[in-house]
């Protein structure tokens, strides 16, 4: 009888621990997109900054903004809107790769931590590919049950991520500002110029063979030949 009680308690404790572990794992992920939660994402950026400081390598933060998702609710409802977010997240990750952690910063903003940049030129390629892919129509279930093709209003913003010392909240804010500025650009992808502090379409950005060359290769009064736009304040 005692042995049966001990076994029962042991099994209960094991099941309880399994549930706690499962719950902890689920809380790390956004339930709609399965991207990392904002808390986990910020922790990963902080750790990446420390690694970059040690290795003297460079990375980037990419923000993907979805604008005015409310206009889609009348067509697809909340379930359909969640399906849009999930499809956008999957498309984004196909281009950014599984080695680069992606998170849902808040409901209409995704952020990717990119540590696999071999040169600044990769920013141009990745930014353009992500923006082009996410602008293509999505197939979604409408409120009447029919499958319809719909396009989301998105744009991409990118900022350089160097070693420790930069405030993560400021970096994320700058990436969002780049995405807001990119909404008015043809490619829908913008990069923060390290010297002028302006948003530049990634296809027009003056990128060198290294981040050091890009930052030091031009005088501090350099401009963007009319291609840049000052970051706009991100709407609440």
């Amino acid at each position: 009888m005692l042995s049966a009680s001990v076994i029962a308690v042991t099994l209960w404790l094991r099941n309880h621990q399994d549930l706690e572990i499962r719950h902890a794992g689920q809380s790390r992920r956004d339930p709609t997109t399965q991207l990392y939660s904002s808390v986990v994402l910020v922790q990963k950026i902080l750790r990446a900054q420390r690694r970059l400081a040690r290795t003297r390598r460079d990375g980037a933060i990419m923000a993907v903004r979805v604008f005015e998702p409310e206009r889609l609710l009348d067509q697809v409802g909340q379930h359909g809107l969640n399906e849009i977010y999930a499809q956008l997240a999957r498309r984004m990750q196909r281009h950014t790769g599984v080695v680069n952690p992606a998170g849902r910063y808040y409901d209409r903003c995704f952020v990717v931590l990119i540590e696999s940049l071999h040169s600044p030129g990769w920013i141009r390629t990745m930014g353009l590919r992500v923006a082009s892919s996410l602008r293509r129509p999505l197939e979604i279930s409408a409120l009447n049950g029919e499958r319809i093709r719909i396009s989301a209003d998105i744009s991409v913003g990118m900022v350089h991520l160097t070693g420790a010392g930069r405030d993560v909240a400021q970096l994320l804010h700058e990436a969002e500002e780049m995405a807001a500025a990119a909404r008015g650009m043809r490619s829908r992808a913008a990069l923060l110029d390290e010297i002028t502090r302006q948003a530049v379409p990634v296809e027009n950005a003056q990128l060198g063979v290294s981040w050091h060359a890009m930052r030091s290769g031009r005088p501090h009064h350099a401009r963007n030949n009319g291609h840049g736009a000052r970051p706009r304040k991100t709407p609440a």
Side-chain angles (χ1 to χ4, degrees):
M1 185 69 178
L2 179 61
S3 126
S5 300
V6 170
I7 292 172
V9 170
T10 302
L11 289 174
W12 181 87
L13 287 172
R14 185 180 299 168
N15 290 335
H16 183 67
Q17 288 173 342
D18 287 343
L19 286 172
E20 285 187 330
I21 293 171
R22 201 172 300 128
H23 178 72
Q26 289 173 347
S27 66
R28 289 170 55 85
R29 299 278 181 174
D30 169 66
T32 298
T33 62
Q34 294 306 304
L35 300 179
Y36 286 113
S37 69
S38 58
V39 173
V40 174
L41 181 68
V42 168
Q43 291 171 344
K44 287 182 175 293
I45 294 174
L46 288 169
R47 287 195 291 268
Q49 285 182 305
R50 292 193 289 269
R51 283 194 298 272
L52 293 172
R54 289 196 305 269
T55 61
R56 298 186 179 182
R57 297 180 63 182
D58 294 278
I61 292 178
M62 171 189 287
V64 174
R65 285 282 307 274
V66 182
F67 296 95
E68 300 179 8
E70 300 84 2
R71 68 179 176 84
L72 305 174
L73 281 173
D74 289 340
Q75 294 175 269
V76 300
Q78 187 60 53
H79 178 77
L81 187 59
N82 287 341
E83 191 178 351
I84 289 173
Y85 285 132
Q87 287 195 34
L88 290 175
R90 289 194 295 270
R91 280 192 188 181
M92 179 184 72
Q93 287 190 291
R94 280 201 293 268
H95 292 286
T96 59
V98 294
V99 296
N100 295 313
R104 193 174 187 184
Y105 189 45
Y106 57 89
D107 63 339
R108 62 191 70 188
C109 181
F110 306 148
V111 170
V112 184
L113 166 61
I114 302 169
E115 291 188 81
S116 59
L117 286 174
H118 301 292
S119 71
W122 280 63
I123 278 218
R124 177 185 291 115
T125 301
M126 188 174 292
L128 291 175
R129 283 180 178 174
V130 171
S132 175
S133 177
L134 299 192
R135 293 175 69 188
R136 293 201 303 270
L138 305 160
E139 189 171 305
I140 304 294
S141 295
L143 287 174
N144 60 8
E146 295 181 359
R147 298 292 286 181
I148 62 173
R149 290 171 65 81
I150 202 164
S151 296
D153 185 0
I154 69 95
S155 61
V156 175
M158 304 184 79
V159 297
H160 174 229
L161 177 63
T162 186
R166 293 290 306 280
D167 181 71
V168 173
Q170 181 62 27
L171 286 168
L172 291 168
H173 178 67
E174 288 174 349
E176 278 196 86
E177 284 191 321
M178 294 305 102
R183 194 182 184 194
M185 299 174 182
R186 183 177 179 181
S187 66
R188 289 296 185 98
L191 171 68
L192 176 64
D193 187 286
E194 290 285 299
I195 296 176
T196 65
R197 309 304 295 174
Q198 291 183 328
V200 182
V202 293
E203 67 272 23
N204 296 331
Q206 300 180 39
L207 303 175
V209 294
S210 69
W211 284 105
H212 176 74
M214 189 179 82
R215 290 193 297 268
S216 61
R218 290 174 290 150
H220 283 256
H221 60 271
R223 296 301 173 193
N224 304 315
N225 299 322
H227 294 303
R230 291 196 177 277
R232 301 187 315 212
K233 186 176 180 181
T234 305

